[in-house]
Amino acid sequence: MNKPDAKTSTATAAATAAVSKRGKGTLADHVTSVLAQQIRAGEFAPDARLPSEMELTARFAVSRTVIREAISRLKSEGLVGSRRGSGTVVLGANQATPFRLDMQVEDVRDSIRAVLRVIELRRGVEGEMAALAAQRRTRAQNLAIQQALQDIDRAAQEGRDGVPEDFAFHAAISNAAHNPLYTSLVQFLSQFLHAAIRVARMNEARRSDFSQQVRNEHAAIAQAIADGDAAAARAAALQHMENSARRIQAADSEFWASEGGKAARHLAQAKPQE
């Protein structure tokens, strides 16, 4: 086992005190920050094994759940990795760092920007996915898209938020594009997309005109794909993203102070799947 030296022990003790007096951020945020600083400072050598969950739990006086979340984030940042027979080890500087998204959300205003940034990111992706789906979709994939559209309507009729169904609709389009990179990207972004879709649908549910607009936009995308019209599918998907941004910008302060704002702030905590 890799035992910390006096320097590491002192740093950890100080870090533990800092965690206990934390301001903004969760326990996992602070544990991740401390461990990342120690790794970058060379207090854990490349290929060295990190202390066990039990040891880290004792050092930071937090639960195992917090430690596991912190380790997961360190893996996302490419600082540590799992190695058979060794557990979690520190990765060398020459090893590739996986792509990650840093939402940098601190307050309600930033939460709004975070949702809009995800929509901007989706804009080009959704447009090209829809165009390729129109060109390449199979009969079965077209039926899956149409079924996903009906599932969104059913969710709304049953009083559910329709977030999983909305995500499934866009995921079905990514599958129909017949490019596994799009499917992988959508999966990587799934936590961010679910959070952004939830905010959008909560906002849209407050106004019947918004709800109808979204339904019409989804239907236009699905119809263009069914028709095999790549240009129309791309245009419909881009229009859907642009209108989604406008609807978010139209939300009033009451919405951002309610569950809608809470959902937007949750976007900052969303993590890509490993």
Side-chain angles (χ1 to χ4, degrees):
M1 183 180 300
N2 186 55
K3 294 184 179 180
D5 56 21
K7 180 181 178 182
T8 302
S9 298
T10 300
T12 302
T16 304
V19 168
S20 66
K21 297 178 180 179
R22 70 190 188 284
K24 293 182 179 180
T26 65
L27 283 169
D29 292 333
H30 289 273
V31 172
T32 303
S33 177
V34 170
L35 289 175
Q37 289 173 12
Q38 291 178 346
I39 291 170
R40 293 186 175 112
E43 295 176 21
F44 292 102
D47 295 322
R49 180 181 176 183
L50 278 188
S52 67
E53 281 185 7
M54 185 176 297
E55 289 177 283
L56 291 174
T57 295
R59 285 193 198 182
F60 290 96
V62 296
S63 69
R64 285 195 173 191
T65 300
V66 170
I67 295 301
R68 288 169 184 167
E69 173 65 16
I71 296 300
S72 176
R73 296 186 189 185
L74 292 174
K75 287 180 179 178
S76 296
E77 294 183 21
L79 294 174
V80 302
S82 297
R83 186 170 298 169
R84 184 174 296 178
S86 300
T88 303
V89 299
V90 176
L91 299 180
N94 62 331
Q95 299 187 38
T97 299
F99 177 71
R100 65 190 294 270
L101 299 180
D102 185 358
M103 301 305 296
Q104 297 182 349
V105 174
E106 295 292 341
D107 54 29
V108 172
R109 183 175 298 177
D110 279 344
S111 297
I112 299 171
R113 292 195 189 104
V115 177
L116 293 175
R117 284 169 184 159
V118 172
I119 293 174
E120 287 178 355
L121 178 63
R122 292 180 64 192
R123 189 162 55 198
V125 173
E126 296 284 353
E128 290 311 306
M129 281 198 317
L132 290 173
Q135 295 172 328
R136 301 172 178 176
R137 56 88 179 162
T138 64
R139 183 171 181 273
Q141 288 168 337
N142 184 55
L143 289 175
I145 292 171
Q146 299 297 328
Q147 182 60 56
L149 196 61
Q150 294 175 24
D151 290 343
I152 296 175
D153 286 342
R154 186 178 301 108
Q157 291 168 4
E158 294 175 355
R160 293 183 284 113
D161 62 18
V163 173
E165 292 78 9
D166 195 315
F167 179 82
F169 172 72
H170 293 281
I173 294 173
S174 77
N175 291 333
H178 284 267
N179 183 332
L181 298 183
Y182 276 117
T183 303
S184 296
L185 179 60
V186 169
Q187 181 59 38
F188 175 83
L189 296 173
S190 63
Q191 296 298 317
F192 297 100
L193 299 185
H194 271 97
I197 289 171
R198 177 168 287 104
V199 176
R201 293 194 69 84
M202 289 176 70
N203 179 44
E204 292 151 5
R206 300 166 72 236
R207 289 179 50 171
S208 59
D209 57 333
F210 278 2
S211 297
Q212 188 58 48
Q213 284 172 18
V214 175
R215 190 180 187 284
N216 293 342
E217 289 161 18
H218 281 160
I221 297 170
Q223 187 60 56
I225 292 173
D227 293 341
D229 190 335
R234 180 186 292 109
L238 291 174
Q239 190 65 57
H240 176 44
M241 291 296 101
E242 290 171 3
N243 289 346
S244 293
R246 291 194 185 100
R247 287 188 286 268
I248 288 294
Q249 291 170 323
D252 56 25
S253 57
E254 181 179 351
F255 172 75
W256 295 112
S258 68
E259 288 298 308
K262 182 178 179 180
R265 289 188 290 277
H266 180 70
L267 180 61
Q269 301 171 355
K271 298 295 175 185
Q273 299 293 322
E274 292 182 32

